Amino acid sequence: MVTTPAADFIDRTLRAEGSEERASADAARIGGGLRFTGASVGAVRGAVRDARRRHPELTHDEVTALASDLWSEPVYERRLAAVVLLQGQVQTLLVSDFTRLEQMLRSAGVRELVDPLMTDVALPLLDRLESVDAVRARRIVERWEGEGLVGAEHRG
């Protein structure tokens, strides 16, 4: 369910940029029980870039809510757009955002979403945290590894 103008813009753009042929090919290649619009990675990145230009006023809370909104439907390109959005905002993320990242990782279902969430969002966030926040975040990532949610290759 799209709830914000930015999410609506991204969703409409992804559907307009998609093709049935690419959607079928991506579904066969990626799978994971997700639906696919058939939009290219470039189209996903462009949609997020354009949405941020249209809505530069978004606060940290609004950006993370937008990421959750995009993630809420099991559509690969929407979820990839959430990852791209967070990649671009990683400098504004907080230790408390690890809760949201964990929910996303647990529901991702495919490496094509898990890997960039860890490599480009969770680990850069972990790297810039200090003191108690860093200790807390490292414990969270170690727990994810212990549960098999992420591999040791994602160790921070």
Side-chain angles (χ1 to χ4, degrees), residues 23-90:
S24 294
D26 287 349
R29 181 176 55 85
I30 297 170
L34 299 171
R35 296 190 313 267
F36 294 82
T37 66
S40 69
V41 172
V44 172
R45 290 187 181 288
V48 171
R49 179 194 63 235
D50 292 348
R52 288 297 288 145
R53 285 182 182 159
R54 287 173 177 242
H55 303 281
E57 75 287 351
L58 295 179
T59 66
H60 163 270
D61 290 350
E62 290 167 330
V63 166
T64 56
L66 173 57
S68 291
D69 190 4
L70 291 167
W71 196 273
S72 69
E73 292 186 33
V75 176
Y76 175 77
E77 293 84 355
R78 282 176 57 101
R79 289 184 172 189
L80 184 59
V83 173
V84 170
L85 177 67
L86 293 174
Q87 287 170 333
Q89 297 297 128
V90 75

Side-chain angles (χ1 to χ4, degrees), residues 85-141:
L85 177 67
L86 293 174
Q87 287 170 333
Q89 297 297 128
V90 75
Q91 290 303 317
T92 68
L93 298 180
L94 308 170
V95 68
S96 59
D97 292 319
F98 270 94
T99 301
R100 186 179 318 267
L101 293 174
E102 181 169 359
Q103 181 275 324
M104 290 174 164
L105 287 165
R106 289 189 182 283
S107 62
V110 296
R111 279 281 146 217
E112 289 81 358
L113 295 171
V114 169
D115 289 346
L117 267 174
M118 282 302 297
T119 303
D120 301 332
V121 181
L123 294 180
L125 171 56
L126 178 62
D127 287 345
R128 71 178 180 75
L129 295 175
E130 298 177 357
S131 66
V132 176
D133 287 343
V135 171
R136 178 176 168 220
R138 284 194 200 307
R139 280 194 207 128
I140 292 169
V141 172

